C-alpha cells in the first residue's frame, strides 16, 4: 500500500503561554487549567518523537496574548508547489479570540521563505481553519460548519486550482475535521462518520476505499483520530485496542505520546502539528479553475 508522501515536515508552536482562557469548544473550561510545566514537557516529548521518526519540526514562538496558538494546525494550510517553493493559505479564524494568531504566523511563514495568501480577499473573506483541510485521494477534503465556512471551499478550489470535497460537520465536539478524519495512506484513513451529517458521512465512507471506522465515543474520549502519520508510523495520543489491532494488521506501528494537558483546550497531537509538505501535483491533483464537490443533500 502506498505510504503517504506528506507528513515529514511540520510547524509547531512552543507552548510558553498555553491557558484555557475562554470556551470556544465543548472541551474548554476556564476552571480547569493545564499545568504549564507538564504541558511543555509533553509537547517536547511529542516533538522529539516526531524528529526521532525522521520528521522535521519548525517551531514558532507563541504570542503571549494567544493562548490557543499552540494548536498550530489551525494557523494555515501549507503547500509545496511543483517547483519546490512553499505557499501557506492563512486561516481566518471563526472566533475573534484566535484571530491575532495570524498576525504573528503570517510574517513568520513569510520569513521562512513561503508566500502567503488569504481566501477570498477580493470579495468577502471567508472563515477558514486549516484543521478542517486534508489532502486525500488527490483532492482537498474540507470540513465546514462549526469553523470553516462553506464559502471558503469555493475560494480554495478556484484560487489553488484543486478539487475540493466539502463535508458538513454537525457534531459540536468534533468541530474540526482533524478530530474525525486522519489519512493513513493512499487508500486508508481513520474516519468517524458521527461527526458529519448523513450525506457527508456517506460521501466520506465512499471516498476512503478502506476506512477504519471510529465510534463517536472512541473519537471523543481518546482523541485517537487526532493523530499524525509519518510513513508507516501512527503517532497517537491513545489507541483503543480494537483500533490498534487493525492498524497493526495493516502494517502500521502505533506510537503513543501523552499530550493530555492539551486535551483541556480541545486538541491533541494533530492539532499541535501542522504538516506543511503537502505537494501540489503530487498529493493534490491540479484541476484548472478548481471544482467544489458537495455531498448530495439527503
Ligand atoms: N481551543 C482550540 C480551538 O477551539 C482547539 C483547536 C484544536 N485544533 C484542531 N486542529 N482541532 O480553536
Amino acid at each position: 500500500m502506498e505510504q503517504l508522501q506528506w507528513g515529514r515536515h511540520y510547524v509547531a508552536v512552543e507552548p510558553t503561554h498555553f491557558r484555557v482562557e475562554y470556551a470556544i469548544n465543548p472541551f474548554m473550561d476556564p476552571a480547569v487549567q493545564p499545568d504549564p510545566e507538564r504541558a511543555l514537557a509533553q509537547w517536547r516529548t511529542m516533538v522529539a518523537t516526531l524528529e526521532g521518526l525522521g520528521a522535521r519540526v519548525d517551531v514558532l514562538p507563541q504570542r503571549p496574548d494567544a493562548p490557543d496558538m499552540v494548536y498550530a494546525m489551525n494557523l494555515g494550510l501549507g503547500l509545496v508547489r511543483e517547483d519546490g517553493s512553499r505557499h501557506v493559505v492563512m486561516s481566518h479564524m471563526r472566533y475573534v479570540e484566535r484571530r491575532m494568531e495570524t498576525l504573528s504566523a503570517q510574517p513568520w511563514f513569510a520569513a521562512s521563505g513561503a508566500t502567503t495568501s488569504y481566501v477570498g480577499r477580493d470579495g468577502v473573506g471567508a472563515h477558514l481553519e486549516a484543521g478542517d483541510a486534508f489532502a486525500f485521494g488527490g483532492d482537498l477534503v474540507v470540513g465546514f460548519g462549526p469553523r470553516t465556512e462553506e464559502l471558503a471551499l469555493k475560494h480554495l478550489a478556484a484560487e489553488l486550482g484543486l478539487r475540493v470535497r466539502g463535508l458538513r460537520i454537525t457534531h459540536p465536539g468534533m468541530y474540526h475535521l482533524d478530530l474525525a478524519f486522519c489519512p493513513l495512506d493512499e487508500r486508508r484513513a481513520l474516519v468517524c462518520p458521527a461527526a458529519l451529517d448523513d450525506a457527508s458521512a456517506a460521501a466520506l465512507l465512499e471516498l476512503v476505499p478502506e476506512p477504519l471506522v471510529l465510534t463517536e465515543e472512541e473519537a471523543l474520549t481518546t482523541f485517537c483520530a487526532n493523530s499524525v502519520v509519518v510513513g508507516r508510523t501512527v503517532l497517537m495520543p491513545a489507541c483503543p485496542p480494537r483500533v490498534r489491532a487493525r492498524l497493526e494488521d495493516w502494517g502500521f506501528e502505533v506510537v503513543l505520546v501523552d499530550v493530555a494537558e492539551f486535551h483541556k483546550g480541545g486538541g491533541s497531537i494533530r492539532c499541535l502539528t501542522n504538516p506543511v509538505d503537502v505537494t501540489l501535483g503530487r498529493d493534490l491533483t491540479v484541476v484548472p479553475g478548481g471544482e467544489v464537490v458537495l455531498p448530495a443533500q439527503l
Side-chain angles (χ1 to χ4, degrees):
M1 206 64 62
E2 282 299 309
Q3 295 185 7
L4 288 186
Q5 299 199 63
W6 56 273
R8 291 184 162 78
H9 182 187
Y10 295 90
V11 165
V13 173
E14 184 166 26
T16 48
H17 303 279
F18 174 47
R19 304 176 299 283
V20 177
E21 214 168 83
Y22 42 79
I24 57 171
N25 69 55
F27 297 95
M28 299 176 84
D29 175 359
V32 183
Q33 288 299 323
D35 178 279
E37 275 170 36
R38 200 176 309 141
L40 192 55
Q42 289 176 347
W43 181 88
R44 287 194 174 135
T45 301
M46 178 195 73
V47 170
T49 306
L50 273 172
E51 288 173 340
L53 293 170
R56 169 176 160 190
V57 184
D58 297 339
V59 176
L60 79 146
Q62 183 176 9
R63 283 173 74 100
D65 62 347
D68 266 340
M69 194 175 168
V70 296
Y71 302 105
M73 180 62 186
N74 295 123
L75 294 176
L77 173 63
L79 299 165
V80 179
R81 297 190 192 89
E82 279 164 285
D83 66 3
S85 63
R86 293 174 43 228
H87 184 76
V88 182
V89 183
M90 301 306 302
S91 290
H92 179 49
M93 306 277 192
R94 167 78 66 164
Y95 292 105
V96 72
E97 287 88 337
R98 294 197 65 181
R99 296 229 180 107
M100 76 293 253
E101 296 176 24
T102 309
L103 300 176
S104 292
Q106 189 278 333
W108 185 88
F109 279 116
S112 80
T115 54
T116 62
S117 64
Y118 296 87
V119 292
R121 270 299 148 117
D122 291 345
V124 262
H127 294 138
L128 169 72
E129 297 197 5
D132 278 322
F134 282 100
F136 189 79
D139 299 332
L140 192 69
V141 181
V142 182
F144 65 93
R147 298 295 178 92
T148 297
E149 279 178 283
E150 189 176 341
L151 177 63
L153 278 51
K154 194 181 82 179
H155 292 303
L156 280 173
E159 287 160 23
L160 298 171
L162 300 173
R163 188 176 301 109
V164 172
R165 293 189 181 271
L167 300 172
R168 188 183 299 277
I169 300 175
T170 46
H171 196 299
M174 289 184 261
Y175 50 91
H176 281 129
L177 189 63
D178 63 12
L179 297 164
F181 177 56
C182 178
L184 295 167
D185 63 20
E186 289 199 338
R187 295 177 50 82
R188 296 157 170 162
L190 301 173
V191 169
C192 181
L196 307 170
D197 73 8
D198 291 348
S200 294
L204 182 56
L205 289 171
E206 211 165 294
L207 187 68
V208 180
E210 294 183 65
L212 202 172
V213 177
L214 302 174
T215 64
E216 177 184 11
E217 210 212 320
E218 284 168 338
L220 280 179
T221 59
T222 68
F223 282 90
C224 63
N226 206 248
S227 296
V228 161
V229 179
V230 182
R232 299 225 70 89
T233 303
V234 192
L235 194 62
M236 310 182 78
C239 187
R242 180 189 76 83
V243 175
R244 179 190 281 268
R246 175 74 76 84
L247 287 171
E248 289 177 351
D249 193 45
W250 278 346
F252 290 97
E253 185 198 2
V254 172
V255 173
L256 300 182
V257 174
D258 177 17
V259 293
E261 289 310 299
F262 297 95
H263 295 179
K264 295 172 181 168
S268 195
I269 295 178
R270 170 70 76 188
C271 302
L272 295 169
T273 54
N274 188 334
V276 289
D277 56 350
V278 169
T279 300
L280 293 165
R282 183 190 73 182
D283 307 312
L284 292 165
T285 307
V286 176
V287 176
E291 187 193 345
V292 177
V293 181
L294 291 175
Q297 295 306 310
L298 295 177

